[in-house]
Amino acid sequence: MIDDLPPLSLYVHLPYCIRKCPYCDFNSHKAGDAPPLDRYIKALLTDLRGEADRATGRTISTVFIGGGTPSLFSGAAIDAIISGIDSCMALAADAEITMEANPGTVERGDAAVYRRAGVNRLSLGAQSFDAGTLSRLGRIHGPQEILSAYRDARDAGFDNINVDIMFALPGQDLRASLRDVERAIALEPQHISYYQLTLEPNTVFHSAPPGDLPDEELCWSIQQAGHDRLRQAGYEQYEISAFSRPENRCAHNLNYWQFGDYLAAGAGAHGKITDSAGRVRRYQKPAHPLTYMEQSETGGFEIPQKGLADEDIAFEYMLNILRLPGGFSEKAFSQRTGLPPSAIGAELQRAQSDGLMQSGNGGRWWPTGLGLRFLNDLQARFLPEKCPAKAEIDQELSKSGALPD
Ligand SMILES: C[S@@+](CC[C@H](N)C(=O)[O-])C[C@H]1O[C@@H](n2cnc3c(N)ncnc32)[C@H](O)[C@@H]1O
Ligand code: SF4
């Protein structure tokens, strides 16, 4: 039984891009010459009305319009989405409303239209400020477009802007990666997301990796140096890849990591809802935009739903919360999962004696520097007992000597 329902967020997915970046495994599709943007918005508005039923009696505290490339859509389309949400759900007056934008699709004046539509947080996908690197990443913009998109957003009154940059990029050395960090800091955004490039299955980079990717040791040095520089510039690391001014943490993403609830609208969007009896359910919308639109137009979606068993809930909680250097309290664990702290007590103790977790007053637990470095291994310790991978992982860890005895 859950005492209080967690905060409720809403994720809206807009799945089109000018072209597919070779490293990207998001549910994004090449827009082509005549993308069905109006048809998609219509389907989405129907979808949102359906989602409203799941939100009865609850307030939406954050909205995230992600993609794909939401900035491919006009201000009028974004306005229709936000008005659509407002007309069928209780949207908090101070709701954080984020929209992702690709600098290559933002024309002068667009930011002002998005701002007027109600977007109050803009997330710019810069990736790098080096022209050669951007071209190797298949980006549709150069450094200049990043600067002008950022300036336009500021001029339009955006006072909460995130800049995404990636590191461990093809051909990148420590100095080049730090130049990117420096250029991002120089813009003075409220938030910087600093992601290590990962080679995701089903991407061009996975099947044909660039030959000059930095090796593991260099990646580690780049990451450490980037983190140090961001902290020195006054950005607080509140998640493994997220840095912000103290008052500008992303409330939407924090709600995911703190195991809050979220509604899902748009192709392939994932949702998670806790009911008053404490049962947690996950669901997903059809992933392909065409299937999504067809099902929306013909009377509803076939939505696979999955109830979570207790041991899965504990694991999913830990999978998310361990990304936060600030950790969690035992009370918060019980509030969000409906389980007693003893459900994870033995694993927490073991992780502590291995130097991966620390504990403090008030039943607080947080990952150590070592725990964050070996985050995947730490998370895997909380896999449900029945999962054979756990024993294998433990064996690997002790064999490799990667962790202290
Ligand atoms: C949906 S995209 C952002 C908006 C827009 N589509 C764009 O690319 O400008 C979210 C962010 O995830 C990061 N990202 C995407 N693929 C990644 C990968 N393979 N490894 C690390 N970060 C990745 C990028 O920094 C990207 O800006
Ligand atoms: S623009 Fe963004 S979502 Fe689209 S393919 Fe590139 S990284 Fe992926």
Side-chain angles (χ1 to χ4, degrees):
M1 187 73 187
I2 304 245
D3 297 339
D4 293 310
L5 287 176
L8 182 61
S9 293
L10 165 65
Y11 178 73
V12 177
H13 193 74
L14 302 182
Y16 298 105
C17 294
I18 302 268
R19 67 170 186 243
K20 186 83 184 171
C21 303
Y23 56 86
C24 174
D25 78 333
F26 285 84
N27 184 25
S28 59
H29 299 256
K30 191 171 181 303
D33 291 338
L37 303 186
D38 291 342
R39 183 179 170 199
Y40 189 84
I41 293 293
K42 226 171 140 198
L44 188 64
L45 292 174
T46 308
D47 187 3
L48 283 167
R49 286 191 290 274
E51 285 297 293
D53 291 342
R54 299 181 210 268
T56 308
R58 298 177 71 176
T59 303
I60 309 288
S61 51
T62 68
V63 176
F64 195 102
I65 306 175
T69 303
S71 50
L72 263 186
F73 286 77
S74 66
I78 301 298
D79 186 55
I81 295 172
I82 297 174
S83 309
I85 296 167
D86 208 20
S87 68
C88 64
M89 299 180 195
L91 185 59
D94 61 350
E96 174 190 277
I97 304 183
T98 304
M99 187 185 110
E100 286 183 333
N102 179 326
T105 60
V106 189
E107 301 288 328
R108 203 169 160 65
D110 282 353
V113 187
Y114 295 135
R115 184 76 194 85
R116 277 199 299 277
V119 177
N120 53 29
R121 182 174 183 274
L122 202 71
S123 179
L124 268 187
Q127 322 310 351
S128 170
F129 292 85
D130 177 77
T133 305
L134 287 170
S135 145
R136 298 224 26 215
L137 291 174
R139 298 294 292 180
I140 57 167
H141 58 85
Q144 208 47 48
E145 280 93 344
I146 305 174
L147 303 186
S148 49
Y150 187 85
R151 215 173 303 118
D152 277 357
R154 267 288 144 83
D155 291 348
F158 277 101
D159 57 5
N160 196 1
I161 304 181
N162 168 56
V163 173
D164 281 342
I165 50 175
M166 296 195 289
F167 66 94
L169 301 176
Q172 201 175 48
D173 60 15
L174 184 59
R175 283 178 62 165
S177 75
L178 280 176
R179 266 199 306 270
D180 277 345
V181 173
E182 219 52 68
R183 300 279 302 269
I185 291 172
L187 293 175
E188 300 183 5
Q190 286 68 29
H191 193 291
I192 296 177
S193 297
Y194 183 58
Y195 297 115
Q196 174 166 354
L197 174 73
T198 49
L199 300 187
E200 303 290 346
N202 304 317
T203 61
V204 173
F205 273 13
H206 191 263
S207 47
D212 53 354
L213 287 171
D215 63 24
E216 210 175 305
E217 206 173 312
L218 181 53
C219 288
W220 177 247
S221 310
I222 289 177
Q223 180 181 8
Q224 289 311 97
H227 285 187
D228 288 348
R229 180 65 192 106
L230 287 164
R231 282 193 214 105
Q232 192 191 31
Y235 291 92
E236 187 184 78
Q237 183 184 16
Y238 68 99
E239 191 262 348
I240 195 94
S241 310
F243 293 77
S244 78
R245 302 289 180 214
E247 65 281 11
N248 294 109
R249 293 173 172 195
C250 175
H252 184 88
N253 287 339
L254 260 181
N255 195 34
Y256 288 155
W257 297 319
Q258 291 173 336
F259 212 53
D261 280 355
Y262 40 94
L263 302 171
H270 293 257
K272 165 186 173 278
I273 287 290
T274 310
D275 67 20
S276 52
R279 282 183 299 258
V280 177
R281 293 197 166 274
R282 291 193 177 282
Y283 63 96
Q284 188 188 357
K285 295 288 161 60
H288 199 283
L290 271 180
T291 317
Y292 171 80
M293 289 186 286
E294 278 163 14
Q295 289 192 10
S296 174
E297 288 156 2
T298 53
F301 300 106
E302 286 159 25
I303 307 180
Q305 295 226 10
K306 188 178 153 230
L308 290 188
D310 284 353
E311 59 270 32
D312 293 328
I313 291 180
F315 172 60
E316 290 207 9
Y317 182 86
M318 297 306 285
L319 196 64
N320 284 287
I321 206 82
L322 288 173
R323 299 172 65 98
L324 307 180
F328 65 101
S329 67
E330 290 174 1
K331 184 168 173 227
F333 171 81
S334 292
Q335 264 174 349
R336 292 294 155 87
T337 62
L339 299 170
S342 57
I344 49 167
E347 285 306 335
L348 282 175
Q349 294 292 346
R350 222 168 57 81
Q352 185 170 33
S353 54
D354 288 341
L356 300 173
M357 294 288 297
Q358 248 176 292
S359 62
N361 290 342
R364 281 211 75 78
W365 289 88
W366 63 95
T368 59
L370 191 66
L372 287 172
R373 177 163 189 186
F374 294 101
L375 183 61
N376 292 344
D377 302 325
L378 176 59
Q379 289 165 326
R381 288 173 172 232
F382 297 91
L383 278 165
E385 216 45 63
K386 63 184 180 205
C387 180
K390 181 170 183 299
E392 286 161 25
I393 288 157
D394 285 350
Q395 221 180 10
E396 275 308 303
L397 276 176
S398 65
K399 262 198 303 195
S400 73
L403 302 175
D405 295 330

